[in-house]
Amino acid sequence: MNKKFNLEKIVRENIRDLKPYRSARDDYDSGILLDANENSFGSPIENDLELNRYPMPYQEKLRSEIADYRKVDSKNVFVGVGSDEAIDLLFRIFCSPGKDKVITNPPTYGMYKVSANINNIKVDEVLLTPDFQLQTERILNRVTDFTKLIFVCSPNNPTANDMDRKDIIYLLENFDGLVVVDEAYIDFSEQAGFAEEVKNYPNLVVLQTLSKAFGLAGIRLGIAIANPDIINYMMKVKAPYNVNKLTSQAALNGFENLGSVQKNIKSINSEKKRIVADLENLAQVEKVFPSDANFLLFRVDDALNVYKKLADSGVIVRYRGNEPHCENCLRMTIGTAEENDQFLEALTKILNS
Ligand SMILES: *Cc1c(COP(=O)(O)O)cnc(C)c1O
């Protein structure tokens, strides 16, 4: 528990006082609908989604499906256009441009900083340790009256590892702003996620996405799980019809096929094991970092050159050598068995040439 946390105190004043837009569907959503200037003659596309009509503003059905899956209540769930929308909304709700600050822990996901820059919010960076864990005391020492959010990515991108659970809890208990735990890769990890902890921590926001383990990056569906008061602010500030009908239908179909999701996670994790073993057998690979995600970070001599040569042979990975503690590191997403074979073959050839 964090007794000093007070949500109303950290919300921007203009947002606390905001009267949200009321869409036509907020009042009535059935009957002869002549209220929203839609086209009653229909859409040019034949399906049963009634695409001539606006989508549901609050996505009750999808949110309830997600809530069941993550063992929380619908009131704890926000859905948006990718996690990126949720990140941007947190800045807009809690951080006053030119005044407030957030803390990130590099090397980490680049979007926190981009979103901060777009919103004119300062970023205090507290590096992870060389084995990629949080420096909790240093983080708390950097907190000022203007620090509103701490971003923790677990499993972290690009380092692939879980953050220590007790460190996240320590931040939740000792920071009076929001701790945003980005769990984009949580379904690949053996560690339990933090979603259910929103009942215990009113200052916790868990970000999830259908882009990774669910294999639905194309539909752009991101999720925030938090205390209902935080979710209400997100609902108030979001664009009224942020999640479209095609996305929401595809997401619901995804939840009807959880067996396939689970099967793919298993396959990815077992491929990952195999590639780790193969990479560790290559003398020129200096280190393969432990992974709790669907990608691997590894170190080779002259990584930038290896990266370019891999691309020349048709295998695209990500060069991460410019990130702190990641000198000469490449990040490789686990692909299908055939893709991984081609990656290993190309890499072996390059390293032996
Ligand atoms: C891929 C990724 C996301 C996903 O973002 P979406 O906008 O939901 O596709 C979020 N956070 C991290 C750390 C990621 O690597």
Side-chain angles (χ1 to χ4, degrees), residues 80-85 87 108-112 153-157 182-185 207-212 217 220-223 295 331:
V81 185
S83 315
D84 295 348
E85 181 184 5
I87 293 168
T108 193
Y109 187 44
M111 201 59 205
Y112 313 137
C153 190
S154 180
N156 185 39
N157 179 5
D182 187 341
E183 295 189 341
Y185 300 98
L207 300 180
Q208 295 182 346
T209 177
L210 299 192
S211 296
K212 308 288 159 62
R220 309 303 300 126
L221 197 289
I223 300 162
F295 58 88
R331 190 193 72 190

Side-chain angles (χ1 to χ4, degrees), residues 319-340:
Y319 174 69
R320 298 281 81 173
N322 293 328
E323 300 290 319
H325 305 315
C326 296
E327 301 74 31
N328 276 324
C329 282
L330 300 178
R331 190 193 72 190
M332 171 274 168
T333 308
I334 309 300
T336 62
E338 297 77 47
E339 290 171 332
N340 299 332

